[in-house]
Structures are given as C-alpha cells and as structure tokens.
Amino acid sequence: MLELLSVKELIETCPVKWHENIPPHGISLGVADVDFKGPDGIIEYIRSNIHEGHNFYQHQGGQPDTIKILQDYFKVRGIEAKSNNLQIIPGTMLGIYAAMKWASRREGKIIMLGPLYEPIHRHATDNNNIIDWVDIHPDGLDIDMLREKVTSDTKMIAINNPCNPIGYIYKREELEIIRDLAIELDLVVFSDELYEPLVFYDKKHITTASIDGLAERTIALYGFSKAYGLAGFRSGFMYLGDKVSEEVKHIVESQLISPSPIASLVTNFALTSQTSKKWVDEFRDHCERVTKKAAQYLNDNNVECVIPNGCFFIYPNIGIDDVKFCEDLLKSEGVQIIPGSVFGPTGKNHLRINCATSEERLMSGLSKMLKELKNNQK
C-alpha cells in the first residue's frame, strides 16, 4: 500500500511543493511532487553498491551496467539503442536545457505542441530560440495547424508524450505525421516522455523514437521524479538519435564532465527492483482512480474538465483569469494550484491540479477551489 505522508512530514521533507507560503491549514496541489513515501529499499541499494572507486570521474554517459539496463528498456519498446544513444543525467531539467541549447545553434523556429511543460519553452527562449505554437485539443492534435506552422524555417518539433498538464497520449497516426514532416524538412523531434509509466491501463503509449524514421532524429527524455517517487535523487536519462547524439552529449559533458554514479544506481534500482515496480503499479492505479474522480467531480459542478489518459494531473477550464484566480485561492483558502497560462497560450483560463495525494486531501482542495471560484464569479 502507498504510504501517505502527513502535512507536517511534507513540510519538513518536501519544501518545493509544501513551501512556506502554504499556511498550516492549506493544501498543495501545485508543484509536481508526490505526497507519498517512495519505494522502500533505495537507500540500502545505494549503500550496498557505492564504493571508493566512485570517488573519481566516471563514464561520461553513465555506468556500463546502467547503459545495458537502458538498452534492454528500449529494446522492449522497439528501439535498438547503442551506448552512444544513451545518456544518464542528474534529473530531467538538464536534458531539457541540453536539447534547447542544441537547437539554439541552428537557424529557424521550434514548433511546440501545447499545452506543454513550462521549462521546455522557458529553456527554449532562455537559449534565444524562436517558438511557435500548435494546439492540442481534448480529441487530439490540430493536424491542419501543425502542417501550416511547420515550414522550411522549422528546426525542431517539441512534444510531451504523455502530456503534462493534460494527460494526453499521442496516437500513432499523429506521431507518423510528425515523422513525415521531420523527414521531409530534416527536423529533430524533442519528446519529453517522463510520465510514460503513468499511462492508464486501458491506454497505450507509443515511444516516439520507435516510429520508423524517427529513431535517428529524436531527443527523448525520461526520469524517476514522478512515476517512481524518487524526485530528490535527481536521476534521469536521455535517448539521443544518431543525428544529434555527439553534439548533445558534448553539451551535457560540458556541464557535468560525467554524471554522478548515484544517478546510475538510482536508475538501476528504479528499473530492476521488484519493490520499485510494485510501487509504480500501485501509484498508477491510484492516479487513474483519483484523477477520474476529481475530473468527474468538477464536471458535475459545471467546471469543464477532460478526464486524462495518464499522468497525475487534471486541467479544468475555469473561464476566468487563471493567474489571478490561483493567487486569490492561495490567499483566501490556502490551496496552491498552478495556473494553466504557464504551459503556453492555450493554457489561458485553465488550472493544472496535482492529484498525487490522498483522495481526501484532493477532494478537500477541490471543494475549497469551487468555493473560491463561486466567489470570483459573483
């Protein structure tokens, strides 16, 4: 069973999500961390596998045994990854930075399919990339808009698959259209696939690089902060197609020299430990149940909310200024929620609500949100 942490414990151990601006009576449904104790055994695993030889700079891509585990991971997904296609990183943020730094060295625009995880477009603009947006609707990608926006002036298409914040999973035919455009115009596809383990059971996730023709031109991102409950250990990995591998690895190495062996050990534990696998399964079940219940609750109270296919978010449309509403909600009810506007232009008037908590805590926060919404609509 998942072990829920008390608010007191979360304030002490989870300061990014349960920060000082949240009052003692408050509830954090904001930053994408989880309110549950992570899988047992990680500390013992690291202790038993760390040694003095790790005092020195290690393999620049990650530990050799970890690379073999990742090759097996991708083989199951239809990808024959070589060691030069794989890179261990200390959390996924560096991977986003490296991808957008790579793009900054090319002329042209990045087409972002949104709403989209905020650091992707932030790192893009911080690296002086020009961005254009294509919409994702509840029923799928706006294909006509994509074909109109992707031109000879495009250098990269960026996606979240599954999508943070809306829990959308790309269909094979959508990925194939992206592939066709990428090959025709010699583009690279950036795909953040961090939430892949949280695709709900009746849905199917297709790894972007597994689409025929995309393996060599994809930069894909994976990690253990969300679905594995291991955010504090800062571990993740990248798949780098042959077209980009050498240069992206050089960008990563210029920041790290080499990743900490602990990042490799966390990867080994997350992907091979039965304890970890059981935790992920239980957490996925929980996320599916509470996100569906929460979305239905809002719909029943006349707040439009699509039921997600994965992740642990819901993304309602409240019909009013989302930024101001989130400020008012925290001030009046002590509930932290992320405004949808940070995820791109289609996020206006939406909220991203983190459901990775107990059903009781979540429903209490939603009740307070509805109360504040009624006050704002008077």
Side-chain angles (χ1 to χ4, degrees), residues 17 33 61 70 145 175 179 241 271 276 301 361 370:
K17 183 181 179 186
D33 209 343
L70 293 182
M145 189 178 189
L175 293 174
R179 182 269 317 276
L271 295 182
S276 174
N301 282 275
R361 199 173 284 164
L370 289 175

Side-chain angles (χ1 to χ4, degrees), residues 344-362:
T346 61
K348 182 179 179 182
N349 298 340
H350 288 73
L351 307 173
R352 192 197 73 175
I353 300 173
N354 177 356
C355 300
T357 185
S358 68
E359 182 178 321
E360 179 183 5
R361 199 173 284 164
L362 174 61

Side-chain angles (χ1 to χ4, degrees), residues 76-320:
V76 171
R77 289 155 179 79
I79 302 165
E80 295 292 336
K82 304 181 291 293
S83 60
N84 68 292
N85 297 128
L86 302 170
Q87 176 68 53
I88 293 291
I89 49 177
T92 54
M93 204 62 71
L94 176 61
I96 296 172
Y97 167 82
M100 298 308 149
K101 185 69 174 178
W102 177 91
S104 73
R105 298 173 177 177
R106 272 85 184 154
E107 295 293 330
K109 296 180 181 179
I110 300 177
I111 301 296
M112 299 212 168
L113 312 189
L116 188 77
Y117 181 46
E118 182 267 343
I120 298 174
H121 62 84
R122 172 165 48 84
H123 276 299
T125 53
D126 285 350
N127 280 288
N128 299 312
N129 290 291
I130 299 171
I131 295 173
D132 205 351
W133 291 88
V134 170
D135 298 343
I136 306 171
H137 303 296
D139 58 347
L141 177 63
D142 190 330
I143 298 297
D144 292 337
M145 189 178 189
L146 177 68
R147 286 180 167 139
E148 177 186 342
K149 292 290 185 73
V150 175
T151 67
S152 59
D153 190 38
T154 304
K155 57 185 173 180
M156 176 185 279
I157 299 173
I159 69 174
N160 251 164
N161 185 28
C163 179
N164 169 10
I166 61 176
Y168 181 75
I169 302 164
Y170 284 85
K171 306 178 186 75
R172 177 173 292 277
E173 54 266 32
E174 292 171 332
L175 293 174
E176 288 175 346
I177 290 169
I178 291 171
R179 182 269 317 276
D180 293 344
L181 291 168
I183 292 175
E184 178 186 352
L185 297 169
D186 195 24
L187 313 177
V188 165
V189 176
F190 172 80
S191 185
D192 180 344
E193 307 199 7
L194 182 63
Y195 288 90
E196 179 204 28
L198 296 182
V199 171
F200 300 149
Y201 281 111
D202 61 340
K203 307 300 177 184
K204 180 175 176 57
H205 177 269
I206 299 168
T207 304
T208 302
S210 71
I211 298 294
D212 186 39
L214 279 183
E216 63 270 25
R217 58 178 68 248
T218 294
I219 301 173
L221 195 60
Y222 304 84
F224 308 105
S225 297
K226 317 304 181 185
Y228 294 84
L230 297 171
F233 286 100
R234 311 312 303 130
S235 179
F237 58 97
M238 302 177 77
Y239 171 85
L240 304 169
D242 290 342
K243 185 179 177 65
V244 299
S245 175
E246 183 177 351
E247 192 171 350
V248 175
K249 276 180 168 284
H250 180 73
I251 294 169
V252 172
E253 289 162 12
S254 72
Q255 300 295 311
L256 293 179
I257 299 182
S258 67
S260 164
I262 292 178
S264 288
L265 293 177
V266 172
T267 301
N268 295 355
F269 174 83
L271 295 182
T272 65
S273 162
Q274 291 303 312
T275 303
S276 174
K277 292 177 181 180
K278 181 180 178 182
W279 193 95
V280 172
D281 286 344
E282 290 180 358
F283 185 51
R284 184 196 304 112
D285 288 345
H286 176 81
C287 292
E288 181 169 13
R289 180 174 59 82
V290 297
T291 54
K292 288 182 177 180
K293 180 168 183 176
Q296 190 59 55
Y297 174 70
L298 293 184
N299 283 315
D300 290 345
N301 282 275
N302 301 313
V303 177
E304 178 187 346
C305 187
V306 174
I307 295 175
N309 292 324
C311 303
F312 51 65
F313 309 111
I314 55 172
Y315 191 65
N317 182 352
I318 57 172
I320 60 175

